[in-house]
C-alpha cells in the first residue's frame, strides 16, 4: 500500500521572469483538505493545470508523485524548509521509492486506476520555483526524481487515500532504471537502455530520445 501524505493542486500563475519574459507555471501547488474528494480525469486532478502543454501535462503526465522520504535529504542540501509540494508534486507519497516502483505498475486510488509512465527530468521552472539554479541538475544527478502517472480509468479519488498497487508490472523495469537509461548518453549499459526503451508502458516522451540514441550508435 502507498501512503498518501498530501494531495496538491494549482492552476497556472506567473512564476517569475526570465530575460524580461513572464514565466507561467502550475508548479506552485498547495495541499487540499484531507477530507476532500476530487475528480481525476484523463488529464488532471480537479483544480490542477499546466501552463505549457507542449512539455508538461498530457495523458502520460496527468499526475506527478514524489516520495516524501526524500525531503529530509533535500532540506539538508538546500538549507531550506521546502514548504508544501516543494517540487510541484500532486501526490506526496510514503512507502515507495524509485528503485521499487516499476514502469507500468497499476495503482488503484478511489474509483480511478493509474499507471506509472516515466520518471521526471526537470526543466528550468523547478529552479525558478525553488530559487535555486542548481536544483535541476541536482535532481538529475541524485535520481530523486519521483514519477509521472497516466490515468487509465478516471474517477473520484479521496485526498486521504489510500493508494494500493493493483498490479506490479511483470517486466521489472523500475523508475530508477528508466532514469539511469536517460542519463546514459554514451550507452555504457546498452542492454538497460534497450530494455527501458522497449517497455510498452513507457511514455513516448521518454522512449523517443532513447530509441534515437540507440539508432545513432
Amino acid at each position: 500500500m502507498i501512503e498518501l501524505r498530501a494531495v496538491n493542486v494549482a492552476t497556472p500563475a506567473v512564476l517569475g521572469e526570465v530575460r524580461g519574459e513572464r514565466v507561467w507555471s502550475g508548479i506552485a501547488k498547495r495541499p487540499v483538505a484531507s477530507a476532500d474528494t476530487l475528480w481525476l480525469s484523463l488529464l488532471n486532478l480537479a483544480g490542477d493545470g499546466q501552463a505549457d502543454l507542449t512539455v508538461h501535462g498530457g495523458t502520460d503526465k496527468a499526475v506527478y508523485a514524489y516520495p516524501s522520504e526524500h525531503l529530509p535529504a533535500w532540506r539538508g542540501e538546500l538549507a531550506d524548509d521546502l514548504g508544501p509540494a516543494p517540487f510541484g508534486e500532486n501526490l506526496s507519497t510514503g512507502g515507495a521509492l524509485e528503485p521499487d516502483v516499476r514502469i507500468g505498475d497499476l495503482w488503484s486510488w478511489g474509483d480511478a486506476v493509474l499507471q506509472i509512465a516515466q520518471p521526471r527530468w526537470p526543466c528550468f521552472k523547478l529552479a525558478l520555483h525553488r530559487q535555486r539554479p542548481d536544483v535541476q541538475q541536482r535532481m538529475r544527478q541524485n535520481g530523486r526524481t519521483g514519477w509521472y502517472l497516466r490515468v487509465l480509468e478516471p474517477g473520484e479519488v479521496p485526498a486521504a487515500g489510500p493508494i494500493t498497487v493493483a498490479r506490479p508490472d511483470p517486466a521489472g523495469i523500475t523508475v530508477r532504471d528508466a532514469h539511469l537509461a536517460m542519463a546514459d548518453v554514451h550507452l555504457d549499459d546498452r542492454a538497460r537502455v534497450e530494455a527501458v526503451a522497449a517497455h510498452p508502458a513507457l511514455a513516448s516522451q521518454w522512449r523517443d530520445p532513447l530509441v534515437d540514441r540507440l539508432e545513432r550508435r
Side-chain angles (χ1 to χ4, degrees):
M1 185 174 292
I2 309 297
E3 182 183 354
L4 191 51
R5 296 180 177 174
V7 176
N8 312 290
V9 298
T11 53
V14 175
L15 185 62
E17 288 192 4
V18 174
R19 294 186 291 274
E21 294 287 334
R22 292 193 300 175
V23 176
W24 288 75
S25 175
I27 196 172
K29 301 187 188 301
R30 292 292 181 269
V32 303
S34 60
D36 284 358
T37 298
L38 305 176
W39 175 255
L40 176 59
S41 72
L42 291 174
L43 295 176
N44 286 112
L45 280 161
D48 198 49
Q50 299 83 28
D52 184 356
L53 295 177
T54 63
V55 291
H56 300 110
T59 55
D60 288 339
K61 293 183 177 180
V63 175
Y64 177 46
Y66 198 79
S68 58
E69 291 90 339
H70 293 328
L71 300 186
W74 280 114
R75 290 189 190 102
E77 292 177 20
L78 302 181
D80 187 340
D81 66 3
L82 299 180
F87 302 105
E89 60 268 32
N90 296 115
L91 309 182
S92 301
T93 64
L97 299 174
E98 290 84 355
D100 312 315
V101 175
R102 302 172 177 188
I103 302 298
D105 280 359
L106 298 185
W107 284 11
S108 177
W109 180 22
D111 297 330
V113 177
L114 302 86
Q115 184 179 48
I116 294 170
Q118 68 166 80
R120 182 185 189 177
W121 200 255
C123 74
F124 76 97
K125 290 183 179 180
L126 177 60
L128 195 60
H129 174 54
R130 296 255 39 106
Q131 294 294 295
R132 284 290 300 246
D134 60 337
V135 70
Q136 178 181 348
Q137 187 61 26
R138 282 178 180 268
M139 182 178 282
R140 292 185 179 188
Q141 290 176 340
N142 63 34
R144 300 193 298 259
T145 63
W147 49 87
Y148 286 103
L149 302 102
R150 61 174 63 91
V151 178
L152 300 183
E153 296 180 18
E156 296 283 346
V157 293
I163 292 174
T164 58
V165 181
R167 191 203 67 155
D169 190 83
I173 302 295
T174 68
V175 168
R176 181 177 184 272
D177 290 329
H179 173 76
L180 292 174
M182 185 62 74
D184 188 1
V185 295
H186 300 298
L187 296 180
D188 295 323
D189 190 339
R190 188 182 184 97
R192 176 167 55 202
V193 177
E194 288 175 342
V196 170
H199 197 297
L202 186 69
S204 59
Q205 193 177 72
W206 205 264
R207 177 186 297 107
D208 291 348
L210 297 181
V211 169
D212 181 65
R213 188 181 305 166
L214 289 164
E215 290 177 346
R216 287 188 287 106
R217 293 176 180 267

